[in-house]
Amino acid sequence: MHSNARPNRLLYETSPYLRQHAYNLVDWHPWGPEALEKAHLEDRPILLSIGYSTCHWCHVMAHECFEDPEIARLMNEWFINIKVDREERPDLDDIYMHAVQMITGRGGWPLTVFLTPELKPFYGGTYFPPIDRGGLPGFPRLLQALHDSYKNKKSNIHNVITTLEQNMRILALTPASGQAPSLAALDQLIEHNLADFDEGNGGFRGAPKFPPSQDLGFWACHYHRTGQPKVLQSLSLTLQKMARGGLYDQLRGGFHRYSVDDVWLIPHFEKMLYDNAQLARRYLEAYQITGDVFLAEIARETLDYVLAEMTAPEGVFYAAQDADSEGVEGRFFVWTPEQIAEVVGAQRAPLICAAFGVTQEGNFEHGASVLHRPQTEAQLAEQFSLNVDEVRHVLTEARRRLWGAREQRVRPHRDEKIITAWNALMISALAYGSQVLDNRTYRGAAIAAAQFILGREVQAGRLQRIWAATDRQGSAFLDDFAFFIAALLDIYETDFAPAWLAAAVRLSKEVETSFYDREAGGYFSTPVDHEKLLVRPKNFFDLAIPSGNSVMVHNLIRLHRFTDNPDYFLRAQETLTRLQTLMMENPRGLSHLAAATEEFLAPTLAITLVGNPTEPVLGEMLAVVYRHYLPHRRLVVKDPESCEALLEIVPAARHYDRIDGRPTAFVCHGQTCQAPVFSAGGLDNLLATRTKG
């Protein structure tokens, strides 16, 4: 912050990211009518800067450029400067990120875009330094050039805009109808998807290396159908390597954003809610498939981290934890041998340093080390002449002590926005964790968060996108609706209160009304009454989170399985058919849609348990269901004493009742139903033999 800085308009915003820039020397505006009208009235181009509060390079550019008096003077004199939090306005980020990618061939944050007063982009990039450096023009020189072009060379700008407008129309298009979904196509797709698999380190070859969350989900579904060993090996290796690397916080649990190398060792240290939600779910699924308790432990630690450190008093979940503390990336997380010895003692320090890869040379900056697990407990036991149980005990105690010592450090900033879509991902993960790990705390946390979001929806009259400092920030986007509907379905299969299904049905109707493109098919990212932007985008590609369109396809399939309403099935079929060619042409771009295609083509595994939910036998049956990985299941619990609300939504439940007054399990796979069973063991036998295909 410059010593003479006075607050600008961003001081009064609720976004933590915008408030971080409130004392920049730049005359920032938030996105809104005031700034846009000013650009028109003064005929000045807009300098649009998009980022988020835990973005390391956003911090760097702010310090180098936006706090520099001369650079700020040029910005204020020549441009209308607008700051946008990409997490509040994913629509603006989506539109202008595509524009910058078309201009430069790459994208990222901070996103720096220059627009006409009509909001049409004519130049852009990401981070710019204060002076020419690393092949990038210095920001002052760039500002001078663009100011000169806008004033004196508008024909050149017009030509750029015309080309961009033509190319950006694709954002609002739905692909023409393609081939019908088929298992043969999925078998071909998995080979292309795994073509760049890193056989040594898991994930895909190259750096930086991001957790392939949607690909992992597709691999699990595909393995469930085919039993293909290569797919399971790829899934298991990736999960093991990520969890044993520096990508994973070895002391507290939870995953960092990505690794800068190709071996999962040195992370970019920010932690995002959406990564941890998705990865917790992937580890739980893999545990169901393999029975590997290490995978279950990673899932448990990740969920516990979120509950302990990313949970608001109201029970909902914060957005992110920064990479930086005390202005230095990673300082909170890294260790030296001397620091280790100070905490665990000189006698245990060699073992702990070996266990977590801490050396005198270090693997990070200034001789520090990112903790990782280069050796197994068995290898450590052999090296230090201990048995495995002794090693495990020492490591458990050391982790506890090291974590306690780390808690005394200056903690990274936490972005305390409440984003509906990301919360929905975590609600789903907690609901699934409650099922697989038999953890009632996770169940309670999922329910509390969902109730908060539904309560705010009732107050506002519509599902909201963001809550920050108790204020709501605009109506929800497609991602918020789609992910939250999925979360409601996951909670129902945990809690079995029909109200969750009713809410999912109601919100799905609103999605059809507000987001569906009745002319061309597919779902827009913004609702029909959203402010008019350069284009009304549609997003079919997975990024850090799956696309809203692919999640809606999953929802439609699941809603059809519960309700038997053919409209859901037909909409899912139509959307999948339109997108099959696009999916096959982009084998790593639409993995969540590939998993939806697996789900669409698979016979439904309809499991109906009938009885009083408090009866022990029913609980034992549920535990059996939850133990199996059943991606195509439809799970219903019918209490004969109180089932009116359920029968309104799940009419098929009318056909099932207790036999001889005993808790009874009914299993139908596709068009074939099995004889009812009355014990957990009997149900286990049915599921073990009837879940493939």
Side-chain angles (χ1 to χ4, degrees):
M1 185 188 305
H2 192 265
S3 59
N4 297 322
R6 294 182 179 179
N8 55 49
R9 297 168 186 82
L10 302 185
L11 183 66
Y12 308 104
E13 295 298 305
T14 58
S15 160
Y17 174 65
L18 298 188
R19 290 201 305 271
Q20 284 175 352
H21 296 268
Y23 285 89
N24 291 167
L25 298 176
V26 177
D27 184 23
W28 290 116
H29 296 71
W31 181 276
E34 177 187 344
L36 304 183
E37 290 172 9
K38 188 174 182 180
H40 270 288
L41 289 173
E42 299 180 10
D43 189 26
R44 280 199 276 169
I46 293 168
L47 194 166
L48 176 63
S49 178
I50 302 178
Y52 56 101
S53 72
T54 58
C55 166
H56 173 72
W57 285 101
C58 298
H59 303 332
V60 173
M61 188 169 177
H63 175 68
E64 292 181 340
C65 295
F66 306 149
E67 295 173 5
D68 181 279
E70 179 58 21
I71 294 176
R73 184 187 68 79
L74 298 178
M75 292 173 67
N76 295 337
E77 181 178 343
W78 292 336
F79 301 91
I80 301 299
N81 303 292
I82 299 179
K83 262 285 175 196
V84 166
D85 184 334
R86 68 174 289 259
E87 294 162 358
E88 285 190 349
R89 293 300 302 266
D91 53 333
L92 296 173
D93 183 60
D94 190 26
I95 291 169
Y96 292 113
M97 180 65 75
H98 277 86
V100 168
Q101 288 171 333
M102 291 173 187
I103 293 169
T104 68
R106 61 187 182 89
W109 299 275
L111 186 65
T112 308
V113 199
F114 296 86
L115 318 177
T116 68
E118 294 75 33
L119 308 184
K120 297 180 179 181
F122 61 90
Y123 191 78
T126 55
Y127 161 81
F128 289 101
I131 58 174
D132 293 2
R133 188 170 66 207
L136 294 171
F139 204 44
R141 185 162 70 86
L142 179 67
L143 296 174
Q144 174 69 63
L146 293 174
H147 167 68
D148 180 64
S149 293
Y150 187 79
K151 287 297 182 184
N152 305 313
K153 303 173 184 176
K154 284 195 175 179
S155 61
N156 293 347
I157 287 179
H158 176 74
N159 292 337
V160 172
I161 289 171
T162 300
T163 301
L164 280 175
E165 281 186 314
Q166 293 172 349
N167 292 334
M168 289 182 70
R169 291 194 186 105
I170 195 172
L171 292 177
L173 296 179
T174 302
S177 296
Q179 61 192 21
S182 73
L183 296 178
L186 289 170
D187 293 340
Q188 178 183 353
L189 182 67
I190 197 74
E191 295 300 321
H192 292 301
N193 180 275
L194 289 169
D196 290 328
F197 183 74
D198 184 337
E199 301 286 350
N201 302 297
F204 297 104
R205 287 190 288 268
K209 207 164 187 134
F210 290 83
S213 298
Q214 287 85 53
D215 301 282
L216 294 168
F218 173 42
W219 299 349
C221 282
H222 191 80
Y223 174 75
H224 176 77
R225 174 172 63 86
T226 65
Q228 189 175 344
K230 177 184 176 183
V231 177
L232 180 58
Q233 291 163 6
S234 301
L235 175 69
S236 298
L237 178 66
T238 302
L239 293 171
Q240 290 280 347
K241 290 290 188 178
M242 288 195 302
R244 300 186 71 85
L247 183 78
Y248 186 68
D249 183 348
Q250 299 293 339
L251 298 185
R252 189 65 182 99
F255 289 86
H256 300 294
R257 181 69 194 92
Y258 61 87
S259 69
V260 300
D261 50 49
D262 63 355
V263 295
W264 307 111
L265 177 57
I266 307 301
H268 179 47
F269 288 90
E270 66 184 322
K271 289 182 176 179
M272 308 301 295
L273 181 66
Y274 55 72
D275 282 323
N276 285 286
Q278 293 178 96
L279 288 170
R281 179 75 177 248
R282 298 291 89 86
Y283 278 86
L284 291 165
E285 292 167 348
Y287 167 60
Q288 289 175 304
I289 294 169
T290 66
D292 185 340
V293 295
F294 173 74
L295 302 176
E297 194 58 34
I298 296 299
R300 182 181 290 107
E301 290 178 356
T302 301
L303 295 175
D304 288 347
Y305 154 73
V306 171
L307 291 184
E309 299 196 13
M310 297 291 286
T311 304
E314 299 85 355
V316 279
F317 308 108
Y318 297 133
Q321 187 181 55
D322 208 333
D324 300 2
S325 57
E326 301 181 87
V328 179
E329 182 174 11
R331 173 172 286 184
F332 181 75
F333 297 99
V334 298
W335 295 81
T336 64
E338 293 75 20
Q339 291 171 328
I340 296 286
E342 183 179 346
V343 175
V344 304
Q347 182 179 358
R348 290 300 190 194
L351 169 58
I352 303 309
C353 287
F356 291 115
V358 179
T359 64
Q360 287 294 337
E361 300 78 19
N363 55 36
F364 194 59
E365 299 168 356
H366 310 298
S369 292
V370 176
L371 302 189
H372 60 294
R373 301 292 292 271
Q375 299 186 67
T376 66
E377 291 172 347
Q379 289 170 328
L380 289 166
E382 182 177 356
Q383 180 181 348
F384 289 92
S385 301
L386 300 169
N387 63 50
V388 170
D389 287 340
E390 288 173 323
V391 168
R392 190 170 294 130
H393 173 75
V394 170
L395 291 182
T396 299
E397 178 61 18
R399 287 182 72 193
R400 186 186 66 79
R401 291 189 177 189
L402 291 170
W403 173 55
R406 197 179 76 176
E407 286 294 288
Q408 306 307 310
R409 299 176 178 179
V410 177
R411 298 180 63 79
H413 158 76
R414 183 173 62 191
D415 186 330
E416 297 188 351
K417 288 197 305 297
I418 311 301
I419 302 174
T420 294
W422 302 6
N423 268 255
L425 288 169
M426 184 51 65
I427 291 168
S428 287
L430 286 164
Y432 208 74
S434 171
Q435 297 171 19
V436 176
L437 302 176
D438 189 22
N439 188 310
R440 295 187 68 84
T441 298
Y442 298 159
R443 170 180 163 177
I447 290 171
Q451 288 174 334
F452 176 91
I453 293 171
L454 285 174
R456 296 287 180 155
E457 180 218 7
V458 170
Q459 293 175 24
R462 192 173 195 175
L463 193 67
Q464 298 295 294
R465 166 68 177 175
I466 276 182
W467 306 87
T470 72
D471 294 327
R472 64 178 183 269
Q473 297 292 309
S475 296
F477 297 94
L478 175 64
D479 288 358
D480 302 297
F481 275 93
F483 294 6
F484 192 51
I485 291 168
L488 292 169
L489 296 175
D490 287 332
I491 293 180
Y492 172 74
E493 291 193 314
T494 308
D495 175 66
F496 302 106
W500 302 118
L501 287 179
V505 168
R506 175 173 56 80
L507 291 176
S508 70
K509 291 177 181 177
E510 189 168 347
V511 171
E512 291 296 311
T513 301
S514 297
F515 295 89
Y516 186 68
D517 184 346
R518 300 194 178 281
E519 295 182 2
Y523 296 91
F524 289 107
S525 300
T526 57
V528 67
D529 56 356
H530 193 65
E531 75 172 284
K532 186 173 177 59
L533 300 173
L534 194 62
V535 294
R536 189 182 179 197
K538 291 177 185 172
N539 186 12
F540 300 108
F541 288 90
D542 300 330
L543 297 171
I545 57 177
S547 76
N549 272 274
S550 65
V551 176
M552 272 310 300
V553 173
H554 279 275
N555 292 341
L556 292 166
I557 296 166
R558 294 179 72 186
L559 285 166
H560 174 251
R561 287 173 170 165
F562 279 110
T563 67
D564 291 329
N565 183 338
D567 291 343
Y568 292 126
F569 177 85
L570 293 173
R571 179 73 77 229
Q573 183 179 53
E574 173 199 19
T575 307
L576 282 173
T577 300
R578 284 185 176 276
L579 297 177
Q580 288 299 291
T581 300
L582 186 67
M583 183 182 75
M584 296 302 295
E585 292 173 348
N586 299 273
R588 283 175 50 193
L590 290 90
S591 290
H592 201 63
L593 193 78
T597 306
E598 290 275 7
E599 188 170 5
F600 178 79
L601 294 171
T604 300
L605 182 68
I607 304 170
T608 306
L609 308 182
V610 186
N612 188 316
T614 64
E615 294 178 281
V617 172
L618 205 70
E620 293 167 4
M621 290 178 172
L622 277 175
V624 164
V625 175
Y626 293 152
R627 188 164 64 245
H628 290 273
Y629 174 63
L630 307 170
H632 316 309
R633 80 180 185 202
R634 183 235 62 184
L635 178 60
V636 169
V637 171
K638 176 184 176 182
D639 181 355
E641 307 303 324
S642 178
C643 59
E644 294 81 6
L646 174 67
L647 297 180
E648 289 183 8
I649 304 169
V650 188
R654 297 180 185 277
H655 306 303
Y656 302 102
D657 211 337
R658 285 178 294 198
I659 297 176
D660 298 330
R662 303 162 64 187
T664 309
F666 299 87
V667 176
C668 296
H669 193 214
Q671 307 304 313
T672 303
C673 293
Q674 305 303 310
V677 294
F678 307 96
S679 68
L683 180 58
D684 196 21
N685 290 335
L686 283 183
L687 297 179
T689 58
R690 297 287 178 177
T691 58
K692 294 285 183 185

